[in-house]
Amino acid sequence: MVSHTGGGPSLLRRINSAAVLRALRAAGPPCSLTDLARATGLSRPTLEGVLEGLADSGLVAETGAAEAAGERRPGRPARRFRFRAEAGRLLGIEIGSRRVSAVLADLGGRRLGTAALDVATRATAEERLAGARAVAGELLARHGGAAGELRAIGVGSPGIVAADGSVELCAALPGWTGLPLGERLGAAFGCPVLVENDANAAVLAERWVGAAAGADDVVMVLAGLSPGAGSLIGGRLHRGHRGAAGEIGALHLLGRQARPERLLSVSGDPLDPLDEQAVTRVLAAARGGDRRAAAAVDRFVERLVHDVAALVLALDPELVVVGGWAAGLDGLVGPLRQELRRYCLRTPRVVASALGGGAVATGALRLALDRIEGELFAVGGGSGPR
Amino acid sequence: MVSHTGGGPSLLRRINSAAVLRALRAAGPPCSLTDLARATGLSRPTLEGVLEGLADSGLVAETGAAEAAGERRPGRPARRFRFRAEAGRLLGIEIGSRRVSAVLADLGGRRLGTAALDVATRATAEERLAGARAVAGELLARHGGAAGELRAIGVGSPGIVAADGSVELCAALPGWTGLPLGERLGAAFGCPVLVENDANAAVLAERWVGAAAGADDVVMVLAGLSPGAGSLIGGRLHRGHRGAAGEIGALHLLGRQARPERLLSVSGDPLDPLDEQAVTRVLAAARGGDRRAAAAVDRFVERLVHDVAALVLALDPELVVVGGWAAGLDGLVGPLRQELRRYCLRTPRVVASALGGGAVATGALRLALDRIEGELFAVGGGSGPR
C-alpha cells in the first residue's frame, strides 16, 4: 500500500480514505458530505479530515457551488467533492514483433489516446525498449502530461513472463529471452510496471471491453507464425504452473505436422519465421485470387483449427475469441465453429476479437488499472480480474 | 446441512457441534472437557450440552477412565470423549467398461475393504447398476455394516457428468448417456450420491493418497481406447464450463490421425472400441516378443504422448500422472518425459499412477468423504479439494 496522504497515515486512515475514494468514484457526480456519510458510514469530522488529506494528495477536488447541478437552497451551499481521475495517468503498452503501441488513460481507466510505432522484426531488445519509451513520451506530450504523472504501466509481450516481470523465454523477439523487462521500464518511467504475456493481456482486454464481456471461461487465441493463447478460468487468468499455459507454438510438432511458416508458403520454401510481413503478402495474394496463396491460407486455417480444438478439449471454455492477425482472415470463424463441432463433445461459442490490434495494449492498460485500484481502493474492496 | 443432533438444532448449536467434532477428530486420542474447552473456546456447560447431543446421534463416545492412557490422579477421573468414525460408512465406486469396483471406509476415511466385479464391456446400464449394488452389498456384509449406515457414496464413471449426477454423454458404456446415475444409486442406497467423471475422480485420488500428493497443478491421463484426463488447477478440480474439460477422446481427429483402435491393431482391422480385452491381448503379445504387436504398442504410445503434450501446452501443469491401463505399459513414462521435452517450453514432472486400478474408486471415496466432512465439520471450517 502506497501512502497517498503523506506523513505515514494509520491503517484506519488508509481504510477510510479507500472507502471515500470508492464512494466518490462510484457516485460519478460530485458528492456532498451527507452523501459520503451515508455511503461510507463515517462521521462528518472524520470525513472532513480524510477529504483534506485526499485533496492534499490531488486525488480529490472540492467543486464550486456553481458546479453543483444548479440546485439552490437558502444558507451556505453544501460542500461537494469529486474523484480527480485526472490526478494521474496509466499506460498500457504492447511490445510486439512488428509494432510497439500504447494507450494512455486516466486513473478511472478512461482512454485519452493511443500511439504506435513500427519496428523491424529483427530489431534488438534495446531498440524495442526505446520504441516503448518513444510511444509513451509521445502520448504524454500530446495529452499534456509529465512522466511523473504516470502511476502504473502494464506491458504485454510475447513469451513466458516471470512473476518479477522478466522474460523467461521468447522465441519471437530477438534478444528478448532473459530481459528484465519490468525492471528496465520501471527504471525509465519511475512507476510500477506490470508485465504479462501478450495473449494473457489480450484475453483480459476482451473480457473488460471486448468480445468476452460477461464470460468467465474463455480461451483467446492470438494467431500468427508464433501462435499463443490466453485463458480465463472462473474469471481468473490461468497462467499455468510456470507461466507457460497456452504456449501452443509447439503444437505443430504433434503428429509431425508442418510448421506454420511452411504451411503458409506459396513457393514451397518456408517463410522467415520472424517476417510477419511475408504473411501479409500471402494473405493479400489469396484475397487477390492467387490460387496457390489461397491453398496456403487454407492449410494455415486448418492448422489453427486443430490448435484451437486441442485447447478447447483440454479446457472446455464457454467462449473462444480469435485474435492476432488471423482475426483478419476472411471467414475464419465459420470453419472454426464447424470443425469444433466435429472434435468437441461440447462446442463453445466462437467469435472474432472485438479489439483487433488493440487487444494486447488494452489488456496491459487493464493490468495498470487493476494495480492502481488495488492501491487506491483496495482495503476491504479490490477489483479487477487478477 | 443435515441435522445430526435431532430436534432441529439452532445454527449456533450446529456451529458448536462442528467445532467439537473437528477438535475431537484432530486430536486423535480421546479428549477431556478441559482439552475441548481449550480447543473450541466453548464453556464447560455448553460443551456438555453439545457432547450429549453428539453422543445421542452416535458420532461421539465417552471413553471409560481405563481407556484414558493410564494416567491416575486423585479424585474423580476426567471424562474423555472421542469421535466415533465407526458411526457410519462411506463408499467409493468405480463403474467402468469392464469392471465395477468399490472401497468402503469409515467416517474418518480409513479404508475397511475393497471389492470388485467383472462386467461385460457390452453390459447394459441396468447390469452395471446391479453390479454396483452387488459390490456395495458384499462390502457392507463383509464388514458387518447395514445399508442404513452408509452416509455418502462417491461414484466415478466415464463420460460427461452433469451437476445433478446424471450422465450427459458417454460413448464408452452402452446405455450410459442420459442415465440419472446419482438419482438411481441414491434411491437404491438411501444416502447422498456424488457422481464424477472417472479421470476427475482419479486425479483427486492421486492427490489425496497417490502420486500427486502436495501438487496443486496436475494433469492426470487415464489412457485407454477412450482416453480421458482430469486436471487440478490451483488445487481445485477443473471441470470446464460444461463438465467436458479433458475429454480428449477426439484429439486423434486432429490432423486426421488414426483412431486408437486402429493404432493398436495388429491385423490392420481396427479393434472393437468397446473391447478393452483385445488391448490386453495386444499388450501381452508385445511383451511376448511379437514384433507386429510391439509396433502397434509403439504407435499407441506415440499418440498418447501427443495427447498429453497438447494438454501440457494448454495447461502448463507441474505434474503429469499417467494411469488407466496404459500405466501398465512398460516404459511409458520415459518416452513421455523425453517427448515432452521436445514439445514444451516448460516440462512438467511425469510419473505413473501410484494407485493403478484403484485410483477412480479411491477418488470417488474422497468425494464421499468431502461430502460428509462438509456436513459434519463445515460450519466455519470445510476441507477437501472441492
Side-chain angles (χ1 to χ4, degrees):
Chain A
M1 173 67 63
V2 174
S3 162
H4 292 283
T5 49
S10 68
L11 176 62
L12 184 61
R13 174 93 176 225
R14 291 205 306 270
I15 291 172
N16 291 343
S17 292
V20 169
L21 281 177
R22 277 201 305 275
L24 285 175
R25 200 177 61 146
C31 290
S32 67
L33 282 173
T34 309
D35 299 335
L36 285 171
R38 196 182 304 119
T40 62
L42 299 175
S43 71
R44 291 177 76 95
T46 301
L47 275 174
E48 285 173 330
V50 165
L51 286 163
E52 193 175 327
L54 288 169
D56 285 350
S57 73
L59 287 169
V60 162
E62 185 167 354
T63 64
E67 270 192 63
E71 42 179 294
R72 296 267 156 186
R73 277 193 285 181
R76 200 159 56 109
R79 299 176 67 190
R80 289 183 178 268
F81 302 87
R82 67 175 182 85
F83 173 55
R84 287 189 70 241
E86 71 274 25
R89 297 281 188 271
L90 304 172
L91 196 61
I93 307 179
E94 172 179 17
I95 303 182
S97 169
R98 289 188 293 167
R99 216 169 62 119
V100 174
S101 66
V103 51
L104 187 73
D106 67 18
L107 294 184
R110 194 172 61 91
R111 286 136 175 277
L112 303 172
T114 61
L117 194 71
D118 285 344
V119 291
T121 48
R122 299 194 173 283
T124 65
E126 292 305 323
E127 286 165 341
R128 259 176 250 279
L129 288 171
R133 288 192 299 268
V135 291
E138 183 196 328
L139 275 173
L140 286 169
R142 201 197 308 161
H143 298 280
E149 289 186 354
L150 276 177
R151 295 294 189 107
I153 298 176
V155 180
S157 150
I160 299 178
V161 177
D164 69 356
S166 62
V167 179
E168 284 204 355
L169 196 57
C170 176
L173 307 189
W176 216 239
T177 296
L179 185 75
L181 179 53
E183 193 185 307
R184 289 292 305 276
L185 290 177
F189 291 107
C191 72
V193 177
L194 298 312
V195 186
E196 187 56 83
N197 168 272
D198 54 358
N200 289 352
V203 73
L204 292 176
E206 295 288 347
R207 185 166 188 249
W208 181 28
V209 289
D216 280 343
D217 297 299
V218 183
V219 165
M220 166 122 199
V221 180
L222 277 189
L225 288 184
S226 299
S231 302
L232 297 179
I233 295 178
R236 296 171 62 89
L237 205 50
H238 175 62
R239 293 188 174 84
H241 189 63
R242 304 161 206 79
E247 287 292 317
I248 56 175
L251 268 178
H252 68 87
L253 292 171
L254 306 184
R256 318 242 182 279
Q257 294 173 22
R259 301 178 65 91
E261 50 269 32
R262 189 173 284 280
L263 292 174
L264 268 174
S265 165
V266 174
S267 67
D269 297 327
L271 303 183
D272 178 345
L274 290 182
D275 184 4
E276 299 257 346
Q277 293 198 330
V279 175
T280 311
R281 288 193 295 274
V282 175
L283 298 182
R287 273 195 294 270
D290 182 311
R291 285 173 56 190
R292 292 210 304 176
V297 170
D298 283 351
R299 286 194 300 269
F300 178 81
V301 167
E302 188 181 20
R303 260 297 315 291
L304 185 66
V305 168
H306 294 165
D307 292 356
V308 174
L311 286 171
V312 168
L313 290 173
L315 289 170
D316 185 25
E318 64 185 298
L319 179 68
V320 174
V321 183
V322 183
W325 52 254
L329 294 180
D330 291 340
L332 177 68
V333 167
L336 188 51
R337 277 197 195 114
Q338 197 175 339
E339 290 291 284
L340 285 178
R341 270 199 289 272
R342 283 185 56 219
Y343 296 138
C344 302
L345 294 172
R346 290 284 178 269
T347 313
R349 287 190 294 132
V350 181
V351 298
S353 161
L355 303 172
V360 177
T362 301
L365 173 62
R366 178 70 239 183
L367 293 172
L369 186 59
D370 285 347
R371 166 65 182 244
I372 207 71
E373 289 186 338
E375 281 183 4
L376 296 183
F377 312 113
V379 187
S383 73
R386 274 167 83 99
Chain B
M1 172 67 63
V2 174
S3 160
H4 293 282
T5 50
S10 70
L11 176 63
L12 184 60
R13 175 94 176 223
R14 291 204 307 270
I15 292 172
N16 291 342
S17 292
V20 169
L21 281 178
R22 277 202 305 276
L24 285 176
R25 201 177 60 143
C31 290
S32 67
L33 282 173
T34 309
D35 298 335
L36 286 172
R38 196 181 304 120
T40 63
L42 299 174
S43 71
R44 291 176 75 97
T46 301
L47 274 175
E48 285 172 331
V50 165
L51 286 164
E52 193 175 327
L54 288 170
D56 286 349
S57 72
L59 287 169
V60 162
E62 185 168 354
T63 63
E67 273 192 60
E71 45 176 293
R72 295 270 154 183
R73 275 193 286 183
R76 200 158 57 107
R79 298 176 70 190
R80 287 182 179 270
F81 302 87
R82 68 177 181 84
F83 173 54
R84 287 188 70 241
E86 70 274 25
R89 298 280 188 272
L90 304 171
L91 196 61
I93 306 180
E94 173 180 16
I95 303 182
S97 170
R98 288 188 293 167
R99 215 169 63 118
V100 174
S101 65
V103 53
L104 188 72
D106 66 18
L107 295 184
R110 194 172 60 91
R111 286 136 175 276
L112 304 172
T114 62
L117 195 70
D118 285 345
V119 291
T121 49
R122 298 193 174 282
T124 65
E126 292 305 324
E127 287 167 340
R128 260 177 248 278
L129 288 171
R133 289 193 298 269
V135 291
E138 183 197 329
L139 275 173
L140 287 169
R142 202 198 305 162
H143 297 280
E149 288 185 355
L150 276 176
R151 296 294 190 104
I153 298 176
V155 181
S157 151
I160 299 178
V161 177
D164 68 356
S166 62
V167 180
E168 285 204 356
L169 196 57
C170 177
L173 307 188
W176 216 238
T177 297
L179 185 74
L181 180 53
E183 192 185 307
R184 288 293 304 276
L185 291 177
F189 291 106
C191 71
V193 176
L194 299 311
V195 186
E196 187 56 83
N197 169 270
D198 54 357
N200 288 352
V203 73
L204 292 177
E206 295 288 346
R207 185 167 188 249
W208 181 26
V209 288
D216 280 343
D217 298 300
V218 183
V219 166
M220 166 125 199
V221 180
L222 277 189
L225 288 184
S226 300
S231 302
L232 298 179
I233 295 177
R236 295 172 62 89
L237 205 50
H238 174 63
R239 293 188 176 84
H241 189 63
R242 305 160 205 79
E247 289 290 318
I248 55 174
L251 268 179
H252 67 87
L253 293 170
L254 305 183
R256 318 245 182 278
Q257 294 172 23
R259 302 178 65 89
E261 50 269 31
R262 192 173 283 281
L263 292 174
L264 267 174
S265 166
V266 174
S267 67
D269 297 328
L271 303 183
D272 178 346
L274 290 182
D275 184 4
E276 298 258 346
Q277 293 197 331
V279 174
T280 312
R281 287 193 296 274
V282 175
L283 297 182
R287 272 194 295 271
D290 182 312
R291 286 174 55 190
R292 293 210 304 175
V297 171
D298 282 351
R299 287 195 298 270
F300 178 80
V301 168
E302 188 182 19
R303 261 298 315 289
L304 184 66
V305 167
H306 294 164
D307 292 356
V308 174
L311 287 170
V312 167
L313 290 173
L315 289 170
D316 185 23
E318 63 186 297
L319 179 68
V320 173
V321 183
V322 183
W325 53 253
L329 293 180
D330 291 340
L332 177 68
V333 166
L336 187 52
R337 279 198 195 113
Q338 198 176 337
E339 289 291 283
L340 285 178
R341 270 199 289 271
R342 283 186 56 219
Y343 295 139
C344 304
L345 295 172
R346 289 285 179 267
T347 313
R349 287 189 294 132
V350 181
V351 298
S353 159
L355 303 171
V360 178
T362 301
L365 173 63
R366 179 70 240 184
L367 293 172
L369 185 58
D370 286 346
R371 166 64 182 245
I372 207 71
E373 288 186 338
E375 281 183 5
L376 297 183
F377 312 113
V379 186
S383 73
R386 275 168 82 98

